[in-house]
Structure formats: C-alpha cells, structure tokens
Amino acid sequence: MNQDFNLSTATSTTVLELAAVIWQKIRGSEVPFHYVSDTPFEHDVAKRIPSVEKAKRVLGFEATTTLEDMLDEVIPWVRNALKEGII
C-alpha cells in the first residue's frame, strides 16, 4: 500500500522565520538580518502547519528534534560538504 507521511514536527515556521534563524546561526547577531521580498502571488500559502497525526497514528512516530537543534547539525554538515566539494 502506497502512503505518504509528514515526518516533521507540528510546529509552524514561516520561510521568513527560517531565513532569520539560519542567518543568525551563520552570521551571528553582529550582522543584522535583512531581506528583500517580491509581492506575493494572490494564492501563495501564507502559513503552513504540518499535519503529523497520520505518522503518529500509523507509524507511532513523533518528531521531537527542534528546528534550532536540526540546524545546529545541518549547517556544519553543509559547511563541511562544501569544503570537501561533495556539494
């Protein structure tokens, strides 16, 4: 049986919030976060809240790693992969 599951946390994060967190983790608080944005399209998704109930019900899985903790692992991995020419 083919099924799809959302394996994220149920915490909503906007793209702008994500960008600000990544900026702070990479650049620190010394360099102010600044962004430029195009006017959104009429039907752009303004806010996304993942539905994780199916993964919990069917798989017994519930993600517990926070965005902050995940970025603390992913950012150094990406830096190293860039340094080694993997990506």
Side-chain angles (χ1 to χ4, degrees):
M1 169 186 323
N2 242 349
Q3 293 202 40
D4 296 323
F5 297 91
N6 189 332
L7 301 179
S8 71
T9 66
T11 304
S12 175
T13 304
T14 68
V15 173
L16 186 55
E17 290 168 339
L18 175 61
V21 171
I22 292 171
W23 179 272
Q24 191 277 327
K25 288 188 172 291
I26 292 174
R27 305 289 287 192
S29 57
E30 300 80 37
V31 181
F33 175 65
H34 176 75
Y35 70 97
V36 175
S37 177
D38 290 335
T39 304
F41 292 104
E42 180 182 354
H43 299 289
D44 276 354
V45 175
K47 187 172 187 177
R48 182 183 163 275
I49 302 173
S51 174
V52 297
E53 291 82 17
K54 182 179 175 185
K56 188 173 184 178
R57 184 181 74 251
V58 175
L59 304 174
F61 177 83
E62 186 173 7
T64 57
T65 305
T66 66
L67 175 63
E68 296 271 342
D69 289 343
M70 183 274 310
L71 289 172
D72 287 341
E73 291 186 36
V74 170
I75 291 171
W77 182 89
V78 169
R79 279 186 175 139
N80 188 56
L82 287 168
K83 181 180 170 185
E84 293 181 6
I86 296 170
I87 58 172

